[in-house]
């Protein structure tokens, strides 16, 4: 595990990956440095602005997130990374003072359109939070929560979902004998992987991760990072992180935000080795932020 | 500062501990068999009884001391207690053959067993030999009167009600009514015959029972013939070894917990009161929990926070400060007369003018108490709801759950331990409350329990007995309050114990919920 942590930069060969979960997942590494232009896109943000009351937090963002890849959002605190990610599943709607303009398209369908059913939208996305938040119920029920609220009660489907999700979240072997125990008894790292299993149980079109490792110790962080790395190809992941090594290790593309604006967005290798903008370089080399 | 705060705590603890100690000490000692003291005065008068307490007083301007002797034998003397000044005492004895006799009626008798009689003739059998079978006969008689004769009476009453129902529905001239009258008369004659048969059987048993008597003599020689079956318990008070003392003590406790009261509640058991208290508390909890939780859910989750909501919150909190008797009056006026009266009009018109629900009953008392304790539950639930981590709610929303799904599946289970805390507080408050009960359904002596073997088994309209009211009644309303005083302590002890038990079980449930829903976030 420490080897993984010390790895300075993500290399193009993911051969170090822990036991392959799925044959297709491991061969995502392209032979040449990836380019956004070649990617199929899952989510498109169009001229998106957002205000908290009178204060504008996001300024005319326009960017596209690739399908089946991991995209990292980096930037100093308060730059709007979390706000952006929480706008994708409209979790910001819960805050009364939020207003926005512009739109986003998830696989071509509007997110902020007037006729959009927010509940349906959220079912198409999965989210993992900074603070681990397993629900006060058994491990089993946690994983199938989104199926339950959809009224799915067929045991075979539920069982299958639990096993598949937990296996993809690299948690199955640890908990398969105690699926009916409370999820609150697990360790923090296990809880976070359970939250990931829960988020992918409904096969979301995009998986949003809001600093998923910031509350975890290094070992648990390593496990979760490895897991994120393995999820590429299966899911389109958008991850917010404060940890630049982490962004470098797990992501294919990286977007750098500063004060609510998108400064630079490119392949991770490029951002970290040869950034196009001075601000980006200053930030990734630790000169500010 | 540490002394001030520590001192405050010590003072509060001491007061509570002192009160508890007083109750526990007096409450546990009540049933211990006391010695019988025989006092001979200078004037040659003899008194026999249990020393109940002593005090200092002024006699002719000089300090003096006197003892209160429970001389009992109310049927002979006309009082239960006698003050005897120490300077009058010539001699104190503890006669070995003195007996304490607890009777079904007239209270205690202290004196001597002179002879055992059958058919008025002295016999060689001892009292102990005859007492067991005599008590059996007594219980048999009582159960016959209560169950079998009660059954016939119930059937006759039912017939009358059926007839009245038909009369109200069809009118007096209708053919149905005329047919029903004929049928009822026929059935009633049968029942009357049955009644007469049972009555004869009871009379026969009574006569048989009256053959066995014991002659009791008080200390000055006056005698009284007493039916053996009407003696609850008798023991030679000065002649008991420790084991026998424990036996009397245990038997009194057993009677206290499992029997009905006698002697205007000052003796016998409190089972109906225990039953009433527990049942009322449970019905109250069942009513207050959903009501309070729903109200708190609206206040916390749905209502728009603002000045109006703050006003509502303040009003709810103030509701907790309204004198409980006001709730009682409201309960009487609204529940008993308006709601209960309405139910009677609609469902029990044949019983009118005798009210069924339109008078005090366990359901109305419970609902009144639920109203009284609902602020406690609302406040506790609101706190618990506020304490549910926002991250959990967000997690649920992010999974595509609606607001209600989030509340039902995440927020409520997580808040459940807090809700239980509120319920525990409400139960403790409600079970100890007396004033509002006095006018909404509690009675001194309830003839029937709210639960019995007759459909619909649960009779929520019945009045009931309550330990709190029992304490008040025995202590302050009884004609013989001096004798009732020890019972006040014992009943208080029981009430405290009962509330503690109810609370402990609620705490047990809460801890299990906590383990399940809150867990240990390391």
């Amino acid at each position: 595990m420490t080897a993984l942590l010390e790895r300075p930069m993500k290399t193009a060969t993911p051969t170090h990956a822990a036991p392959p979960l799925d044959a297709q997942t491991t061969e995502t590494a392209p032979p040449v440095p990836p380019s956004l232009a070649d990617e199929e896109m899952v989510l498109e943000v169009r001229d998106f602005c957002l205000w908290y009351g009178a204060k504008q937090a996001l300024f005319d963002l326009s960017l596209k997130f690739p399908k089946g890849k991991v995209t990292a959002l980096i930037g100093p605190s308060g730059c709007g990374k979390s706000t952006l990610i929480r706008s994708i599943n409209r979790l910001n709607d819960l805050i009364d003072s939020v207003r926005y303009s512009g739109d986003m398209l998830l696989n071509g369908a509007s997110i902020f359109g007037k006729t959009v059913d927010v509940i349906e939208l959220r079912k198409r996305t999965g989210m993992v939070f900074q603070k681990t938040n397993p629900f006060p119920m058994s491990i089993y029920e946690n994983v199938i929560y989104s199926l339950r609220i959809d009224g799915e009660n067929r045991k075979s489907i539920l069982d299958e979902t639990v096993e598949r999700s937990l296996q993809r979240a690299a948690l199955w072997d640890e908990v398969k004998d105690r699926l009916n125990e409370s999820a609150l008894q697990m360790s923090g790292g296990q809880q976070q992987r359970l939250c990931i299993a829960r988020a992918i149980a409904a096969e979301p079109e995009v998986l949003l991760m809001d600093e998923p490792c910031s509350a975890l110790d290094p070992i648990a962080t390593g496990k979760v990072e490895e897991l994120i790395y393995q999820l590429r190809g299966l899911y389109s992941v958008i991850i917010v992180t404060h940890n630049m090594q982490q962004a470098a290790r797990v992501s294919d593309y990286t977007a750098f935000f500063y004060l609510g604006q998108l400064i630079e967005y490119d392949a991770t290798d490029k951002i970290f080795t040869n950034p196009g903008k001075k601000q980006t370089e200053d930030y990734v080399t630790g000169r500010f932020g | 500062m540490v002394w001030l705060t520590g001192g405050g705590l010590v003072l509060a603890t001491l007061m509570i501990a002192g009160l508890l100690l007083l109750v526990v000490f007096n409450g546990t000692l009540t049933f211990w068999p006391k010695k019988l003291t025989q006092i001979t005065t200078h004037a040659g008068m003899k008194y026999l009884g249990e020393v109940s307490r002593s005090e200092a007083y002024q006699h002719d301007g000089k300090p003096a001391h006197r003892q209160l002797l429970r001389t009992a034998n109310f049927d002979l003397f006309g009082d239960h207690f006698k003050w005897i000044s120490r300077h009058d005492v010539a001699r104190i004895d503890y006669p070995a053959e003195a007996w304490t006799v607890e009777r079904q009626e007239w209270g205690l008798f202290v004196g001597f067993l002179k002879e055992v009689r059958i058919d008025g003739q002295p016999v060689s059998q001892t009292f102990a030999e005859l007492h067991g079978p005599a008590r059996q006969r007594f219980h048999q008689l009582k159960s016959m009167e209560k169950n079998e004769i009660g059954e016939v009476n119930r059937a006759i009453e039912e017939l009358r009600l059926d007839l009245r129902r038909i009369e109200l529905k069809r009118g007096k001239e209708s053919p149905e009514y005329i047919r029903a009258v004929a049928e009822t008369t026929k059935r009633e004659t049968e029942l009357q015959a049955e009644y007469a048969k049972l009555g004869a059987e009871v009379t026969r048993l009574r006569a048989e029972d009256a053959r066995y008597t014991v002659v009791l003599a008080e200390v000055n020689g006056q005698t009284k013939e007493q039916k053996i079956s009407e003696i609850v318990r008798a023991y030679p008070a000065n002649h008991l070894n420790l084991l026998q003392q424990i036996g009397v003590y245990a038997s009194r406790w057993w009677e206290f917990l499992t029997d009905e009261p006698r002697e205007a509640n000052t003796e016998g058991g409190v089972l109906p009161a225990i039953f009433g208290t527990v049942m009322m508390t449970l019905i109250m909890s069942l009513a207050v929990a959903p009501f309070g939780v729903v109200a708190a859910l609206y206040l916390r989750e749905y209502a728009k926070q603002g000045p109006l909501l703050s006003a509502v919150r303040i009003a709810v909190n103030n509701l907790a400060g309204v004198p409980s008797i006001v709730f009682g009056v409201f309960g009487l006026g609204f529940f008993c007369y308006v709601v209960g009266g309405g139910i009677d009009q609609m469902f029990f018109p044949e019983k009118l003018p005798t009210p069924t629900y339109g008078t005090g009953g366990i359901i109305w008392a419970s609902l009144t108490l639920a109203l009284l304790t609902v602020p406690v539950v609302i406040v506790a639930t609101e706190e618990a709801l506020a304490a549910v981590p926002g991250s959990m709610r967000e997690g649920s929303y992010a999974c595509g759950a609606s607001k209600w799904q989030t509340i039902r599946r995440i927020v409520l289970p997580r808040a459940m331990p807090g809700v239980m805390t509120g319920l525990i507080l409400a139960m403790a408050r409600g079970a100890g409350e007396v004033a509002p009960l006095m006018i909404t359904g509690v009675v001194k002596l309830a003839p029937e329990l709210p639960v019995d073997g007759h459909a619909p088994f649960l009779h929520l309209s019945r009045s009931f007995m309550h330990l709190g009211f029992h304490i008040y009644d025995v202590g302050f309303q009884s004609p013989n309050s001096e004798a009732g005083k020890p019972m006040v302590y014992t009943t208080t002890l029981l009430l405290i114990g009962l509330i503690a038990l109810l609370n402990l079980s609620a705490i047990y449930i809460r801890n299990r919920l906590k383990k399940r829903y809150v867990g240990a976030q390391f």
Side-chain angles (χ1 to χ4, degrees):
Chain A
M1 203 48 59
T2 39
L4 177 75
L5 292 171
E6 283 159 9
R7 191 158 45 90
M9 286 281 158
K10 179 178 73 72
T11 56
T13 48
T15 46
H16 67 281
L21 300 163
D22 210 64
Q24 302 139 352
T25 59
T26 49
E27 43 184 296
T28 48
V32 285
S35 158
L36 270 170
D38 306 334
E39 300 287 356
E40 191 189 341
M41 294 301 174
V42 62
L43 178 72
E44 183 183 351
V45 180
R46 280 186 187 163
D47 304 323
F48 190 70
C49 302
L50 186 142
W51 293 263
Y52 289 115
K55 183 176 170 287
Q56 188 165 7
L58 298 177
F59 296 85
D60 289 316
L61 298 182
S62 288
L63 69 162
K64 293 177 178 177
F65 294 97
K67 192 174 206 158
K69 295 287 156 64
V70 177
T71 309
L73 309 184
I74 61 170
S77 295
C79 70
K81 321 179 286 285
S82 291
T83 303
L84 175 63
I85 202 175
R86 287 165 60 91
S87 297
I88 295 170
N89 62 358
R90 289 183 62 175
L91 218 49
N92 283 331
D93 288 13
L94 299 175
I95 304 165
D96 285 338
S97 63
V98 163
R99 290 179 301 121
Y100 38 69
S101 71
D103 199 357
M104 298 187 192
L105 299 176
L106 180 57
N107 280 329
S110 169
I111 289 179
F112 289 95
K114 281 204 172 62
T115 54
V116 173
D117 181 350
V118 179
I119 299 226
E120 285 309 313
L121 167 74
R122 288 184 187 144
K123 282 175 184 161
R124 290 164 64 199
T125 63
M127 188 159 193
V128 179
F129 294 80
Q130 178 174 3
K131 188 169 183 291
T132 60
N133 57 353
F135 299 146
M137 47 183 81
S138 69
I139 294 172
Y140 187 93
E141 289 295 327
N142 255 284
V143 176
I144 55 165
Y145 184 75
S146 46
L147 279 73
R148 278 270 194 238
I149 57 178
D150 255 355
E152 180 62 77
N153 279 321
R154 278 168 295 178
K155 185 136 184 13
S156 58
I157 293 183
L158 297 179
D159 284 347
E160 195 191 308
T161 307
V162 167
E163 181 165 354
R164 187 188 61 232
S165 307
L166 286 175
Q167 249 164 7
R168 286 185 179 169
L171 195 57
W172 176 251
D173 292 330
E174 288 166 59
V175 301
K176 66 178 177 218
D177 299 323
R178 51 188 185 110
L179 291 175
N180 289 317
E181 283 176 29
S182 168
L184 300 168
Q185 314 288 341
M186 306 164 90
S187 75
Q190 285 177 325
Q191 287 187 355
Q192 194 61 306
R193 278 180 284 152
L194 177 67
C195 292
I196 294 175
R198 186 175 73 199
I200 61 180
E203 297 294 335
E205 293 166 35
V206 58
L207 181 58
L208 311 170
M209 294 184 160
D210 191 356
E211 296 183 46
C213 300
S214 66
L216 303 180
D217 65 61
I219 293 176
T221 301
K223 283 193 181 171
V224 172
E225 281 185 10
E226 198 161 330
L227 170 61
I228 296 167
Y229 194 81
Q230 287 161 11
L231 288 177
R232 75 188 56 233
L234 284 173
Y235 301 99
S236 313
V237 181
I238 302 174
I239 177 170
V240 167
T241 178
H242 265 128
N243 180 334
M244 261 152 318
Q245 273 71 39
Q246 186 173 71
R249 282 193 294 264
V250 302
S251 67
D252 301 295
Y253 296 96
T254 299
F256 172 59
F257 289 84
Y258 185 61
L259 296 178
Q261 284 171 338
L262 179 64
I263 305 297
E264 190 170 355
Y265 180 30
D266 212 326
T268 299
D269 279 351
K270 178 143 191 310
I271 292 275
F272 281 91
T273 54
N274 184 20
K277 297 241 171 79
K278 177 82 169 58
Q279 272 174 312
T280 315
E281 190 181 350
D282 288 352
Y283 184 71
V284 298
T285 51
R287 245 169 265 163
F288 87 101
Chain B
M1 207 57 216
V2 81
W3 288 103
L4 188 71
T5 49
L9 177 69
V10 166
L11 201 68
T13 317
L14 274 183
M15 287 197 306
I16 293 171
L19 183 70
L20 272 182
L21 214 67
L22 181 78
V23 168
V24 169
F25 182 76
N26 283 306
T28 46
L29 276 189
T30 304
F31 292 140
W32 192 258
K34 287 204 184 86
K35 283 203 154 173
L36 289 176
T37 313
Q38 181 178 322
I39 295 177
T40 316
T41 61
H42 292 300
M45 287 295 289
K46 278 197 228 165
Y47 300 101
L48 180 72
E50 299 171 346
V51 175
S52 103
R53 61 195 161 102
S54 58
E55 65 176 25
Y57 76 116
Q58 296 281 322
H59 182 71
D60 292 341
K62 279 176 282 182
H65 203 266
R66 61 180 182 178
Q67 282 179 315
L68 187 63
L69 204 61
R70 185 176 186 186
T71 50
N73 307 1
F74 187 74
D75 39 346
L76 300 180
F77 303 159
D79 54 17
H80 291 277
F81 289 86
K82 186 92 190 149
W83 282 108
I84 297 169
S85 301
R86 186 174 282 169
H87 53 81
D88 286 336
V89 176
R91 212 183 121 97
I92 293 180
D93 299 297
Y94 296 97
E97 62 279 18
W99 280 60
T100 304
V101 180
E102 288 173 43
R103 297 177 295 179
Q104 206 69 39
E105 277 158 23
W106 295 109
L108 218 59
F109 189 97
V110 295
F112 306 92
L113 294 189
K114 246 178 109 185
E115 57 187 31
V116 178
R117 287 181 180 171
I118 297 177
D119 294 329
Q121 298 305 315
V123 291
S124 59
Q125 278 116 313
T126 62
F127 168 76
E129 279 169 4
L130 294 176
H131 188 228
R135 283 307 276 176
Q136 255 174 22
R137 272 196 305 277
F138 177 82
H139 287 303
Q140 191 190 347
L141 261 170
K142 210 167 140 192
S143 113
M144 270 187 83
E145 279 168 358
K146 196 173 165 185
N147 298 333
E148 288 156 40
I149 296 183
E151 206 67 46
V152 175
N153 280 335
R154 192 189 306 274
I156 292 174
E157 174 68 9
E158 206 91 321
L159 276 178
R160 187 185 74 76
L161 290 177
D162 282 345
L163 195 62
R164 175 93 178 115
R165 205 172 291 138
I166 294 172
E167 183 190 329
L168 283 176
K169 218 169 172 180
R170 311 269 177 188
K172 257 193 153 120
E173 275 76 41
S174 67
E176 285 96 342
Y177 179 72
I178 293 163
R179 207 175 322 122
V181 169
E183 232 166 80
T184 305
T185 320
K186 191 170 141 242
R187 181 90 185 93
E188 209 174 324
T189 325
E190 287 168 25
L191 285 170
Q192 291 292 3
E194 203 175 323
Y195 185 86
K197 216 172 86 195
L198 284 169
E201 173 72 9
V202 167
T203 316
R204 192 188 63 73
L205 266 172
R206 278 237 177 81
E208 163 75 12
D209 188 54
R211 291 172 59 214
Y212 301 88
T213 56
V214 59
V215 177
L216 304 171
E218 57 95 24
V219 66
N220 289 313
Q222 209 179 339
T223 61
K224 152 117 191 169
E225 192 166 352
Q226 173 79 42
K227 274 194 225 165
I228 291 182
S229 65
E230 287 182 359
I231 293 174
V232 177
R233 190 183 295 107
Y235 56 90
N238 296 338
H239 206 65
L240 292 176
N241 60 29
L242 185 66
L243 219 63
Q244 286 163 323
Q245 281 176 329
I246 292 173
V248 171
Y249 184 69
S251 127
R252 278 176 168 170
W253 262 110
W254 180 247
E255 187 196 0
F256 182 67
L257 293 177
T258 61
D259 222 333
E260 286 171 11
R262 53 190 161 82
E263 284 298 294
N265 291 354
T266 55
E267 279 174 35
V270 292
L271 182 68
I274 298 176
F275 195 87
T277 309
V278 172
M279 191 162 157
M280 186 212 69
T281 311
L282 291 182
I283 296 178
M284 180 202 80
S285 310
L286 284 184
V288 77
F291 193 40
V293 169
V294 166
L297 266 181
Y298 183 79
L299 281 178
R300 175 62 60 180
E301 303 284 335
Y302 288 100
K304 204 168 160 56
Q305 311 289 325
L308 183 67
L309 198 69
S310 302
V312 170
R313 273 213 184 94
I314 292 170
V316 166
N317 288 337
N318 281 346
L319 210 57
V322 173
S324 54
I325 190 75
V326 175
F327 279 96
V329 175
F330 174 79
L332 181 71
F334 179 69
F335 288 131
C336 299
Y337 294 157
V338 176
V339 181
I343 292 177
D344 277 359
Q345 291 285 345
M346 250 188 287
F347 299 105
F348 305 99
E350 72 277 7
K351 285 193 187 167
L352 288 172
T354 314
T356 310
Y357 277 92
T359 179
I362 191 163
I363 177 83
W364 304 138
S366 305
L367 288 183
T368 305
L369 277 194
L371 216 57
L372 179 83
T373 51
V374 83
V376 180
V377 178
I378 291 182
V379 170
T381 307
E382 266 209 83
E383 302 271 311
L385 290 176
V388 176
S391 63
M392 262 187 200
R393 293 167 198 256
E394 283 189 344
S396 173
Y397 288 131
C399 282
S402 65
K403 181 152 194 166
W404 171 239
Q405 283 170 328
T406 302
I407 289 174
R408 193 171 73 80
R409 290 171 185 264
I410 310 292
V411 177
L412 267 187
R414 169 77 192 207
M416 224 40 212
V419 177
M420 286 299 291
T421 306
L423 208 55
I424 290 166
L425 291 174
M427 269 163 64
R429 168 101 203 262
E433 195 63 72
V434 179
L437 300 180
M438 285 163 63
I439 49 179
T440 54
V442 160
V443 288
K444 204 176 147 65
L445 189 66
E448 290 166 302
L449 292 178
V451 170
D452 64 18
H454 295 279
F457 306 112
L458 192 63
H459 304 274
L460 293 178
S461 63
R462 284 189 188 164
S463 49
F464 64 110
M465 289 176 73
H466 184 269
L467 282 172
F469 183 73
H470 198 81
I471 292 169
Y472 169 70
D473 180 55
V474 172
F476 303 99
Q477 301 284 290
S478 140
N480 184 10
S481 65
E482 188 67 40
K485 219 162 70 178
M487 288 294 275
V488 169
Y489 283 115
T490 317
T491 314
T492 309
L493 180 67
L494 187 68
L495 180 57
I496 293 175
L498 207 63
I499 294 173
L501 199 72
L502 284 172
N503 275 348
L504 281 179
S505 37
I507 290 171
Y508 173 76
I509 296 174
R510 179 183 63 184
N511 287 350
R512 285 197 43 176
L513 288 173
K514 228 184 218 163
K515 219 171 177 176
R516 195 153 144 221
Y517 291 130
V518 183
Q521 219 96 9
F522 77 97

